[in-house]
Amino acid sequence: MSAEVERLRIRRHGFRVAAAVAVGFVWAGLAGQVIPFLGPLFAIQLLMAPRPPGLGQGIGMVTVILAGSVVMLVLTGVVGDRPVVLSAFLALVYFACFLAQATGRGGGAPFLVLVVAIIVPMLGVLKMDLGQPIVAILLDGVGTGLLLTWAAHAVFPDPGGLPPAPPPPAPPVPGDGSTLRAITNAGILLAMVVYCMTNDALASAAVVPITVASLLGQLALAKGPVAVVGLMVVNLLGGIVASLAFTVYELRPSAPWLLAVVLVVGLLFGGKAAADRATAPIYAGSLIIFCILFGLGVSPLPGTAAESFSTRVSFVLLGILYTVTLAALLWRPTQADVTVAT
């Protein structure tokens, strides 16, 4: 691939991410969606893959989200007053998702399931009235994410056509440490979810555990203290930019202005994610944090006090410090870590 074609590929990838996020927010606002960041959040995960999901993959993803949402909702309703049972089930789900991420399976689906397994129990325990069933909200989000992904690839196609499909991931090697890492990550996330559900100050702060889930996947890419600090700064930047962007949006709260504001931010983070595949998950994670915080500002969840953005950014900082600290204390090197180090 020539240098010019590669530059064009990077630009179009950045435009795809930015356009999907911006259009997703405008669509959510016009449609009156209760959780407007879900569609853009799912689209970011799908657009980070080298190829868009096919129709069959899209149907499979909707089916997985539907099944997971229904199971989570029923389980929360049945054993929501028995935290030990609920926590044990969530631990299994989190472990399966982190293991899939560690072995490169499922693309963006494991993170989407993690988001569902965070939002549904938190809202279910709160018994928050969202005006429509949470399953319908999540299906609307994943459907919107798929449509945004396909539309973005159609409007900004890769030069020379789609890249070849990546080879299937190698099966996990026994003793490579990925299973233990997945167990550790599941414990770290579960502890934060339980803490949020039992703490009145954080009961509706879904951004905290979602930040933890996103950051746990990014930390595997950070080699050395300097890289970890840079990762923390970039993620915190997503929250700060959300605060600034919402302030700008409030000057002229209209659909065209919303499109312009989010498009600029999407180009900032999406362009960085497209420029380097090695650090793409880090900037995609920052854009996810931006989407959540900005989405809560545009349309706060009903029945909850709308915290100030300084409070919300502090939630992100809490999630970052918590994750980095526990990962430093509990993580053990995997085979991938040893390979990179040598």
Side-chain angles (χ1 to χ4, degrees):
M1 184 182 294
S2 68
E4 182 60 32
V5 172
E6 178 62 14
R7 284 195 293 270
L8 181 59
R9 184 198 66 79
I10 291 173
R11 283 200 297 269
R12 289 188 177 179
H13 190 180
F15 282 133
R16 281 198 295 268
V17 176
V21 173
V23 173
F25 264 106
V26 172
W27 172 256
L30 295 176
Q33 294 180 357
V34 180
I35 309 180
F37 60 79
L38 282 181
L41 185 152
F42 290 157
I44 292 168
Q45 283 294 312
L46 298 175
L47 287 168
M48 286 299 103
R51 295 167 60 92
L55 180 60
Q57 291 174 305
I59 294 174
M61 192 172 299
V62 171
T63 303
V64 169
I65 296 297
L66 174 60
S69 302
V70 171
V71 171
M72 285 289 172
L73 195 61
V74 171
L75 191 76
T76 303
V78 173
V79 299
D81 56 347
R82 286 181 279 174
V84 175
V85 178
L86 179 61
S87 298
F89 184 83
L90 291 178
L92 289 175
V93 174
Y94 297 160
F95 165 72
C97 292
F98 282 122
L99 186 61
Q101 287 182 332
T103 55
R105 299 179 182 277
F111 182 77
L112 302 186
V113 175
L114 280 175
V115 172
V116 171
I118 290 170
I119 291 179
V120 174
M122 290 187 68
L123 295 181
V125 170
L126 286 174
K127 295 181 172 54
M128 188 179 294
D129 181 14
L130 300 179
Q132 63 183 122
I134 183 61
V135 174
I137 294 173
L138 291 168
L139 281 180
D140 187 43
V142 72
T144 300
L146 283 167
L147 292 177
L148 290 171
T149 300
W150 289 330
H153 274 278
V155 176
F156 302 105
D158 274 317
L162 292 174
V173 179
D176 67 350
S178 59
T179 301
L180 180 60
R181 176 68 59 85
I183 293 173
T184 305
N185 287 350
I188 292 173
L189 177 58
L190 178 64
M192 178 52 73
V193 171
V194 172
Y195 179 67
C196 288
M197 289 194 296
T198 56
N199 188 319
D200 292 339
L202 298 174
S204 61
V207 66
V208 181
I210 293 178
T211 299
V212 173
S214 176
L215 200 59
L216 285 170
Q218 300 172 43
L219 278 173
L221 304 173
K223 307 302 176 183
V226 175
V228 171
V229 172
L231 188 153
M232 293 170 63
V233 170
V234 171
N235 277 270
L236 187 59
L237 183 63
I240 296 172
V241 170
S243 178
L244 296 175
F246 185 72
T247 301
V248 173
Y249 167 71
E250 282 192 311
L251 298 176
R252 191 183 302 170
S254 62
W257 192 238
L258 175 64
L259 179 68
V261 170
V262 179
L263 186 62
V264 170
V265 177
L267 287 172
L268 171 66
F269 289 111
K272 287 289 188 180
D276 188 350
R277 291 181 180 176
T279 58
I282 295 175
Y283 289 100
S286 301
L287 187 55
I288 285 172
I289 290 173
F290 164 82
C291 287
I292 296 172
L293 292 181
F294 186 80
L296 290 174
V298 173
S299 179
L301 291 175
T304 64
E307 306 97 346
S308 66
F309 257 99
S310 60
T311 301
R312 290 171 181 166
V313 173
S314 70
F315 287 166
V316 173
L317 180 59
L318 169 64
I320 292 173
L321 294 177
Y322 167 84
T323 306
V324 171
T325 301
L326 285 193
L329 292 173
L330 301 177
W331 271 15
R332 295 295 178 265
T334 64
Q335 186 62 44
D337 298 332
V338 174
T339 301
V340 172
T342 56

